[in-house]
Amino acid sequence: MTTGLIPGEQPPDPRPTGELPQQRREPVGHGVMPVEYRSRSSVITARAAATFEPVGRSVASARAFVRDTLQGWGFGDIVDDAVVLTSELVTNAVVHAGTSADLLCLRGDDGVRIEVADRYPEREVPLQGAAVTMGSLDREGGRGLQLCAALASRWGVEYTPAHKTVWFQLDLPERPVGTRAAGPALPADLLPLADGRVRVAVLQIDRAGTITAWNEDAEELFGYPAEQVTGKPLTDLAAWPHTPGTGTGIAEALQLSRWEGSYGIRGAHGRVLPVYASHLRVRDTDGEPSTVCLLVRDHERAVLQTPLRSPASDGPGSSSEGQNTDPFEVFIGSPAPDDLDGLLQRTVERARDMLDGDAAFLLLATDDETELEVRASTGLPSARQRFARVPVEAGPGRYGSARMPAVHDDLTAVHGPVPLLNGTGMRSVVTVPLKVEGRLTGSLGVAAEAPGRYSNEEALRLQFAADRIALAVESARLGELERLRRGSLSFLVEASDLLAGTLDRDQTLALMAQMTVPTLATWCAVYTIADQSSEPYLSYVLHEDEELIDGIKSLLSKIPPPDPVPTPGARVWSAPGEVAHQAALRTSMRSLGLSGGPDHRVTPGIGPTLATASAVGGEIVVLPLVARNRVIGMLTLGKPTDEHFRQEILELAEDLSRRAALALDNARLYSERTAISQSLQRSLLPPELPLVDGVEVEVIYRAAGEGNEVGGDFYDLFPISDGAYGFAIGDVCGTGPNAAAVTGLARHALRLLAREGLSGPAVLERLNSAILDEGARSRFLTLLYGELRPQEDGSAELKVVCAGHPLPLRLRQDGTVEPAAEPQPLLGVLEDLELYEQTVVLDPGDVLLCVTDGVTERREGSRMLGDDGLADVLTTCTGLTAGAVAARIMRAVERFASDAPSDDMAILAMRVPGLHTD
């Protein structure tokens, strides 16, 4: 909010804090002559004052204070504007200025004056003749003054040495005494059109929704005599425009205490007559509720329609910028956000402030209008803010009264009418629909923690705002939807992408069925053939009505499958329909106590119901699934009774079947080869690691490449003799199956040679010879091999040989990290190697970390983790178990780069537990 003087205003004279309000000066807008001191012609007949602390909750309290005060004075016509302006000015005082706010309401015989004072008297000396600049509505500063200029009759900013006061005055509309609403005198050609005689149909509807009264004008308008419609539900006649074919909307409208709007009535001539209606809920002397409905022709709606509330007219001293203000801009702000999320968020914030609520939310409807999706909220937990969905019409957790305004006085007394508010502490809520051209596009709601906060008046005000923003919201939503849908493919292209995206057989079958139902057929069945000698097997059945799937599956499983003919094209298959109808006929005859019927006897146990017979009673076609010159199955499509396929649908289905057959065969081949590969790879992995007394051991292994369980890296830990264990971690040059073959050779050779009692260098020298004997299939191999012997004093002795492998790192209890071996030549290159072993003693609490180069050579662009980076991570692992150390190293490696690892990785961590900590 602007804290200085409005340019063009006379500088204020310093005066004591307690000086009378009438001595304050009013600002002048751009191009308006300065005004004198505030006139005292309006006699102050009442005043109300309150002080609010500098906390966020004070804004809502101030709104409630002003609303209660003005309604108590009978100033309902200006309550809305007063609450909006007070909210902005008190927000500036308690939130932005950070001081308490003094609020003063003064009632006069022609209006009300409201003053908001804070304790932050910042001054700004104006330049003579400077243009009026109050800033944008999108920023905090100046927004309150712009609203004052748009809504108030007069307003001003005043200063004292200790206070700054912003005041505004709202004049009451000049209306005759006792008049609730009035309009200006209009020329005859501007008056609404009506027939020679305006007929107002009066209907009375009881609590069950049936018509109990029907006057003569109703007979004249709709053509039904009273005795013909009395006792019938109104929903039999009403054509509710937003729920075609159902009476849900009108039934809910009849339960509201007051409702006003448009719908249609089906006349005796069979046509729908658009009407404008006003409903009032009443109760008789016995307490029985009913609804009185007044209806006129829609073009005569002016007879019943409540006049829309117009903004306050500009008074003397109001800025010219406040003239002809667009109600949308007053509510949303100008300029409106150009993005959907920004527009929705500002909408909920404005709606909450307008109705003095504690929370607000806005939901957008899906394309089929069956669900509402939360897109913006304020005052609710963040987990509820985005993309939570609730059904509109039916189902658990449905959204109650989404298609029309609704007021709930106490949510604790009604089971979940607004699922979004469950568990939030909100007690009362008002919701209104967002509609564009009669179509539900969303829902806007405001909630409060106290019960009974809202009435139909608030619902009408919120609906007025929703009507102003609905088109803008829908336009922004369609723009967002268009951006998301750019580049969308046709049906066959989408089907090909889906089928190519999976190599799982069961998922491919499900996709085939789901793409055909209901786009191509009402139901479908997929038969598969394992090999040329196998019979077709019923693998998948789908119907658009899930309750009929079991019946169709039972029927098809009891009759012979169609012949696997490779001839392309669709052929008719009549067997399911004939058998189903014969069985249904026999069942019906038995239920009637009759005998006889068709001579053809159905296999016992089928028992199809009439619904199943109806489902498969239409045309059924079979398309072969041919891949690689072999029939691998059949795709069966069906329609319900008396329905036939169009030729264009059959051609599309035939094209789809060719793509589906190839995808299904690819999934079969992939599954077979994957099973073989995984079986061979698992044979290369070591069995479960043995438990070593006095030493914790943990291994993490990641093979590069999709579907690989073993690559070029390997590890092993195995017993050699009593109290001695061999361990190894190595890296074969390359990845994939070729490297895995050398992996298997190295791991098995190590175990065999070590158990012969050979020393570490001798073991590696013989392994080197075995690798070189492989000739062209040999590969370089780096290997860290060692023997582990736990000691009686709690330490562990290791004898290691590091042949071209990344050096093992030793972590001491004091956090220092050092290499635990020296580098020596790798294997598979030289015939004569001179290797030696080194002895390392791990004290209690020490950790030995062994990794492959897939860990140290992890890259992100030009950066590499390296030995130093690994050592830095290891220094943070003091006091962790071996499992925790390995997990932390792997997590650091994965987070070092965003791309998936391109090399195999193995981590072997060994730790001697501390004597006093483990």
Side-chain angles (χ1 to χ4, degrees), residues 570-630:
R571 54 191 175 93
V572 176
W573 185 32
S574 59
E578 294 174 356
V579 173
H581 278 84
Q582 291 173 5
L585 178 59
R586 283 186 171 274
T587 301
S588 299
M589 294 178 67
R590 284 196 300 269
S591 66
L592 296 174
L594 302 176
S595 60
D599 294 335
H600 178 77
R601 298 186 62 82
V602 183
T603 304
I606 295 180
T609 63
L610 292 175
T612 303
S614 176
V616 301
E619 189 174 33
I620 302 174
V621 297
V622 178
L623 298 103
L625 298 175
V626 181
R628 298 177 175 89
N629 298 321
R630 185 173 73 89

Side-chain angles (χ1 to χ4, degrees), residues 631-698:
V631 179
I632 63 171
M634 288 87 70
L635 177 64
T636 303
L637 306 179
K639 288 280 190 178
T641 301
D642 298 331
E643 290 194 24
H644 298 271
F645 287 97
R646 294 174 53 190
Q647 185 61 33
E648 295 83 359
I649 295 296
L650 293 178
E651 293 174 356
L652 185 59
E654 183 180 357
D655 204 353
L656 175 64
S657 67
R658 288 193 291 267
R659 289 166 167 79
L662 186 59
L664 184 61
D665 199 45
N666 288 340
R668 178 188 62 82
L669 293 175
Y670 178 79
S671 299
E672 293 177 356
R673 295 180 181 180
T674 299
I676 296 172
S677 174
Q678 290 177 347
S679 177
L680 293 175
Q681 290 188 59
R682 281 192 291 269
S683 69
L684 301 177
L685 293 173
E688 293 183 0
L689 299 179
L691 297 177
V692 181
D693 293 336
V695 178
E696 299 174 359
V697 180
E698 182 67 25

Side-chain angles (χ1 to χ4, degrees), residues 147 291 374 417 420 633 661 674 871 873:
L147 285 174
T291 303
V374 180
L420 177 66
T674 299
V873 177

Side-chain angles (χ1 to χ4, degrees), residues 304-325:
L304 299 179
Q305 188 172 27
T306 301
L308 297 178
R309 178 179 160 274
S310 59
S313 60
D314 294 338
S318 64
S319 170
S320 61
E321 296 176 351
Q323 297 176 0
N324 301 322
T325 303

Side-chain angles (χ1 to χ4, degrees), residues 369-402:
E369 299 180 21
T370 60
E371 287 185 311
L372 292 172
E373 184 178 68
V374 180
R375 293 300 301 268
S377 65
T378 181
L380 296 176
S382 58
R384 304 172 186 266
Q385 286 188 357
R386 298 275 291 176
F387 304 117
R389 287 194 173 191
V390 292
V392 175
E393 298 295 350
R398 78 179 186 93
Y399 190 101
S401 305

